Amino acid sequence: MVTLSTNEGETMTIDVTAPAGQGAVTPVSGGRRILAPDLARGAMLLLIALANATGVFLASTPGVDPTPHGLERVWNVLLFLFVHARALPLFAMLVGYGLVQFARHQDDAGRPPRTVRALLVRRNAWLFAFGLAHGVLLYSGDVLGAYGLIGIAFTLVLLRRGDRIHRLAPAYLVLAAGYLLVLGALVLHGLATGTDGTAGVPTSDFPSVAADSYGASLAARMTEWPTTVLTMLPMVLWIWIGAWAARRRLLDDPARHRTLLRRAALVGLTVAVLGGLPMGLLAGGFLHVDADTVGYVKMLYESAGLFGGIGYAALFGLLALRVSTWPAGSRRHLPVAALAALGRRSLSGYLVQSVAWLVLASPFALALGDRLGSPTFVAAGSAVLVWLGTLAGAYLMHVRSRRGPAEVLLRRLAYGRR
């Protein structure tokens, strides 16, 4: 038996001795909290840390060393297979899942749809404000601003629509799969017919993280952040897929959807790996392509990321189901409780990461990437250590029944209460 606190200040008990899908997650009081999304959010923060730290330490997006050596070459491959453009779709789908969960919880509490809609719009408006502050003051690769805008639009336009409309979300996956097949064929054709294999990994400069003073970095972020928000607005499709999954309760009741989750995990992660492989091999120096083909390689790895996010989400649904079979008192409960605790405080964990990158990587601060050798491995090590620190902090807050500070502030601003 593992007892965990919810973001609403309530508690829930995970009875790991209960049969899977038969009361394995039981609310002690108040709203029901689902384990799988929180596990996914907690683990997702590690992927976000690895992606963002690499971009900050190497001052490029995606973060990649253009001249890797030794094990750096292998690490570059792994980043493009499992991290870059894979964490963001998972994050976005969990946002959509959370929107539907929130509305359902409010409906069950007897609040009228108009009130629920107003609550969600206000919450997402404040989330946009959080993104503005975060994106300008700390890290212009912020996702909160885009999520806030998309959340408002989704609440007003799609949230209360019927199944006929929401079936368009999974139908989009068919189009995405067809698009991937076309891109894959173009990449293979380019590899077979290309003659000039000197193209490098396509990246964009990241001026704010290379600025030599905080003032200069602030000025750069003021122009970078709005662009980031605009480029992320198409994530509404990923959020919509997450909302569709929540309407089907795919992670609420993983036992009932075990077969679907297994297929989604297998197919999603396989597609993500295969789609990211050419880009990974290119980043590691194991593959050489010409200038015409490299664009298709980039689009293939980015597009395959959606399926990677689906695969990861399904994987954590299966993990939550597995937890329900563990015997009471097992030592394995501790890391699960810590991961779920971080997932419930994911906003705080995400913001802490950006503070860490500003201090650890900035030329006007510690600049560890220049002082400790390989920026690639300094970024990876920093990402893991920062994530572990937030994991430990979240667990301590869980033990003391405290919410994350960012969650408390957002709740107070959006709902006018602690």
Side-chain angles (χ1 to χ4, degrees):
M1 189 80 72
V2 180
T3 302
L4 301 168
S5 61
T6 74
N7 282 344
E8 305 299 324
E10 299 145 346
T11 57
M12 60 172 283
T13 298
I14 304 172
D15 183 357
V16 297
T17 64
Q22 299 180 21
V25 180
T26 306
V28 175
S29 65
R32 185 173 183 259
R33 188 84 191 187
I34 308 303
L35 179 61
D38 288 328
L39 290 177
R41 289 185 186 100
M44 170 272 304
L45 284 173
L46 174 58
L47 302 182
I48 292 289
L50 289 169
N52 289 349
T54 306
V56 168
F57 277 92
L58 293 167
S60 66
T61 54
V64 60
D65 187 340
T67 58
H69 301 282
L71 291 177
E72 292 175 345
R73 301 175 67 194
V74 177
W75 181 245
N76 277 359
V77 176
L78 295 176
L79 283 175
F80 282 101
L81 294 185
F82 300 107
V83 177
H84 288 319
R86 275 85 183 122
L88 200 58
L90 172 60
F91 203 171
M93 284 185 281
L94 291 173
V95 169
Y97 206 98
L99 286 172
V100 172
Q101 279 188 311
F102 180 91
R104 182 182 293 140
H105 177 68
Q106 299 301 316
D107 291 344
D108 292 343
R111 293 184 175 88
R114 184 174 181 178
T115 300
V116 177
R117 183 169 58 249
L119 284 172
L120 276 172
V121 168
R122 188 163 59 188
R123 183 184 188 280
N124 281 286
W126 278 112
L127 189 64
F128 174 80
F130 271 56
L132 172 61
H134 174 236
V136 172
L137 298 177
L138 295 174
Y139 178 66
S140 62
D142 161 78
V143 297
L144 302 179
Y147 288 159
L149 291 180
I150 295 171
I152 292 172
F154 190 91
T155 299
L156 296 176
V157 177
L158 289 172
L159 183 63
R160 296 293 184 178
R161 303 297 293 270
D163 287 342
R164 180 177 299 179
I165 294 296
H166 284 284
R167 288 194 191 103
L168 295 176
Y172 166 70
L173 296 178
V174 177
L175 296 177
Y179 181 61
L180 283 177
L181 290 175
V182 172
L183 288 175
L186 290 171
V187 170
L188 290 175
H189 180 265
L191 293 176
T193 61
T195 57
D196 182 17
T198 60
V201 175
T203 61
S204 301
D205 292 335
F206 205 165
S208 63
V209 301
D212 57 6
S213 70
Y214 181 73
S217 71
L218 187 68
R221 284 191 293 273
M222 287 182 180
T223 58
E224 290 174 354
W225 180 76
T227 301
T228 298
V229 172
L230 291 175
T231 58
M232 288 186 174
L233 291 181
M235 289 191 304
V236 64
L237 292 169
W238 304 344
I239 288 176
W240 196 3
I241 290 171
W244 172 83
R247 289 170 62 89
R248 295 284 301 274
R249 299 179 183 267
L250 297 186
L251 297 181
D252 295 49
D253 189 1
R256 180 180 178 185
H257 303 285
R258 188 199 311 259
T259 300
L260 178 60
L261 291 175
R262 284 176 174 171
R263 291 173 179 172
L266 177 62
V267 174
L269 293 176
T270 299
V271 170
V273 168
L274 292 177
L277 187 59
M279 188 70 160
L281 294 175
L282 177 63
F286 300 104
L287 180 70
H288 303 282
V289 300
D290 58 33
D292 293 330
T293 305
V294 72
Y296 297 129
V297 170
K298 181 176 184 289
M299 287 190 289
L300 178 64
Y301 114 84
E302 290 176 337
S303 302
L306 168 61
F307 292 88
I310 292 171
Y312 277 133
L315 195 63
F316 283 100
L318 294 172
L319 176 59
L321 183 60
R322 180 63 176 169
V323 168
S324 69
T325 67
W326 291 352
S330 170
R331 293 182 179 180
R332 290 176 290 181
H333 296 162
L334 177 59
V336 169
L339 200 60
L342 179 57
R344 294 183 185 96
R345 296 160 181 84
S346 58
L347 179 58
S348 295
Y350 175 65
L351 296 176
V352 166
Q353 288 185 12
S354 296
V355 175
W357 312 146
L358 190 70
V359 173
L360 298 177
S362 297
F364 54 84
L366 296 181
L368 295 186
D370 297 328
R371 298 180 180 181
L372 298 181
S374 167
T376 297
F377 288 134
V378 172
S382 298
V384 172
L385 290 176
V386 169
W387 179 77
L388 287 174
T390 59
L391 187 70
Y395 182 71
L396 290 176
M397 283 187 279
H398 152 64
V399 170
R400 298 176 182 179
S401 298
R402 294 182 180 177
R403 303 186 190 98
E407 285 77 11
V408 170
L409 179 58
L410 180 61
R411 180 184 175 89
R412 185 175 299 172
L413 292 169
Y415 314 134
R417 57 181 177 169
R418 290 178 61 86

